[in-house]
Amino acid sequence: MIGRSHRSKLGKARLQEVIERSRRVLGVPADYRIGIVPASDTGAVEMALWSLLGPRPVDLLAWESFGEGWVGDVLKQLKLPHARRLAARYGQLPDLGAVDFDHDVVFTWNGTTSGVRVPDGDWVPDGRAGLAICDATSAAFAMDLPWAKLDVVTWSWQKVLGGEAAHGMIVLSARAVERLESYVPPWPLPKIFRMTAGDKLIEGLFEGETINTPSMLAVEDAVDGLKWAESIGGMDGLLARTRANFAAIDRWVAATPWIRFLAERPETRSTTSVCLVFADDWFRGLAPDAQAKAAKDVAAKLEAEGVAFDIGSYRDAPPGLRIWAGATVETADIEALLPWIDWAYAEVRGA
């Protein structure tokens, strides 16, 4: 498809293939719409926020950088008057029992920059009045998503499937479609956010007719990734690989006194974006600037040896390391990495 138009019959068929293979692997219900949208997961989330929010109060959950980003957009850009921020510091979740599901609710399933995830979907009621809008960008294809509990779900090809960024996916329940067809936001809506024409859903958006021009090279890569997922057993295979990767890290942390998970409760620990912090007296005794430098030095030593790349914690997170443990990673590579972290930390501490 390289060099062919995405609007050709073959091009639309390939885009539809991404949609249908995603549906099969993830187990998305038949009555949920799936669309390919611009601007990665960020574009998909913004599309949902700008198109759907407004008719009800909204609860906004935040416990890391991206959740805080959605809070900022709703409060500062959309300026919704009846919006409530429920937040927690890095390493914890907000009180999920405090969420009001008569409101719309916006949350990340897995906090990519904190390594903290919601433990399950049991806290989301089946009989909710509002919409449950979930940013699942580092959870989809690696964690069980209870579709009946979710009305809008977004992700990108970049994360668990290891594809190229710039393309997002959005899933809409029948309740979300009903909201789109019955509600017109009071603010101007950019073209790339529009999912309706008049008062009807633009069905073509969910049948491979994308709003803007996608990279057909990235589409081919996405198809390839989905075929690979199917070849290893679909969601069961993806979950098994991710869990094995996390288990290797979990065993190492349990045996290593100078490091711990940033996520404080075991049931909330991410199995994909595994965030770690240094926990010995030497590190805790450093000034904040020195802690940040020490963590960067550990990551730099690993990169200089060609062992691990981009392994430092996110810029807004506490100083530490972030190991990607999603399904495309081999457990043997995780196991090979961990002694190198021992070495790098000993080098930095002894310097």
Side-chain angles (χ1 to χ4, degrees):
M1 282 304 301
I2 306 307
R4 289 294 304 274
S5 169
H6 68 291
R7 301 196 186 282
S8 67
K9 184 177 180 180
L10 185 58
K12 286 190 286 187
R14 191 71 99 246
L15 289 160
Q16 181 69 11
E17 183 178 354
V18 172
I19 290 170
E20 291 310 317
R21 286 186 184 274
S22 298
R23 185 185 300 278
R24 289 200 299 270
V25 172
L26 291 169
V28 179
D31 63 340
Y32 281 48
R33 305 312 209 286
I34 305 176
I36 299 169
V37 301
S40 194
D41 177 66
T42 300
V45 174
E46 295 287 8
M47 176 181 281
L49 301 183
W50 285 69
S51 300
L52 292 164
L53 294 185
R56 287 180 175 272
V58 57
D59 282 3
L60 305 161
L61 278 62
W63 59 91
E64 50 91 52
S65 299
F66 290 104
E68 283 291 359
W70 310 142
V71 171
D73 287 346
V74 172
L75 296 181
K76 296 177 183 179
Q77 304 301 322
L78 299 180
K79 300 180 180 179
L80 293 182
H82 303 294
R84 187 170 64 136
R85 175 178 175 268
L86 303 175
R89 63 177 174 81
Y90 274 85
Q92 295 185 346
L93 280 176
D95 179 4
L96 300 180
V99 178
D100 186 344
F101 280 94
D102 283 339
H103 301 175
D104 294 329
V105 179
V106 178
F107 69 100
T108 57
W109 189 274
N110 181 79
T112 309
T113 68
S114 70
V116 176
R117 66 173 180 177
V118 294
D120 50 45
D122 294 348
W123 57 285
V124 182
D126 292 331
R128 61 193 175 276
L131 298 178
I133 300 173
C134 176
D135 171 1
T137 193
S138 54
F141 297 102
M143 301 176 193
D144 283 316
L145 297 176
W147 294 101
K149 303 283 190 176
L150 306 173
D151 297 294
V152 180
V153 181
T154 67
W155 69 88
S156 76
W157 299 345
Q158 176 192 359
K159 292 294 193 297
V160 178
L161 290 183
E164 286 299 312
H167 300 82
M169 302 289 287
I170 189 167
V171 176
L172 305 175
S173 72
R175 298 177 71 247
V177 172
E178 180 183 16
R179 170 75 64 83
L180 283 170
E181 294 184 336
S182 62
Y183 167 65
V184 178
W187 42 77
L189 206 59
K191 179 179 180 180
I192 62 170
F193 290 172
R194 296 175 201 159
M195 291 183 278
T196 57
D199 60 353
K200 292 296 181 183
L201 192 72
I202 302 173
E203 293 287 356
L205 296 180
F206 306 93
E207 297 172 353
E209 297 177 11
T210 56
I211 295 174
N212 71 337
T213 303
S215 161
M216 296 309 294
L217 178 60
V219 170
E220 290 298 310
D221 185 57
V223 171
D224 188 61
L226 289 162
K227 287 180 176 178
W228 170 79
E230 292 170 335
S231 76
I232 64 167
M235 275 306 303
D236 287 344
L238 293 166
L239 288 169
R241 288 175 63 92
T242 303
R243 289 167 178 166
N245 290 339
F246 176 79
I249 300 170
D250 192 31
R251 290 191 297 271
W252 174 71
V253 171
T256 307
W258 48 262
I259 203 158
R260 65 173 176 82
F261 291 103
L262 178 55
E264 296 174 6
R265 292 163 47 202
E267 66 271 20
T268 69
R269 289 172 186 163
S270 171
T271 52
T272 56
S273 55
V274 182
C275 295
L276 305 168
V277 290
F278 304 111
D280 60 343
D281 291 339
W282 174 80
F283 189 83
R284 287 196 295 263
L286 298 175
D289 288 350
Q291 287 183 346
K293 181 180 184 303
K296 289 179 180 178
D297 288 346
V298 171
K301 285 185 177 294
L302 295 170
E303 182 166 345
E305 296 294 333
V307 172
F309 301 98
D310 309 317
I311 200 174
S313 58
Y314 193 74
R315 61 180 178 267
D316 296 331
L321 301 175
R322 181 170 57 159
I323 301 173
W324 182 255
T328 56
V329 175
E330 299 292 337
T331 302
D333 290 339
I334 294 282
E335 293 171 337
L337 163 67
L338 300 174
W340 280 97
I341 300 177
D342 293 329
W343 167 81
Y345 189 66
E347 288 283 305
V348 170
R349 179 174 174 169

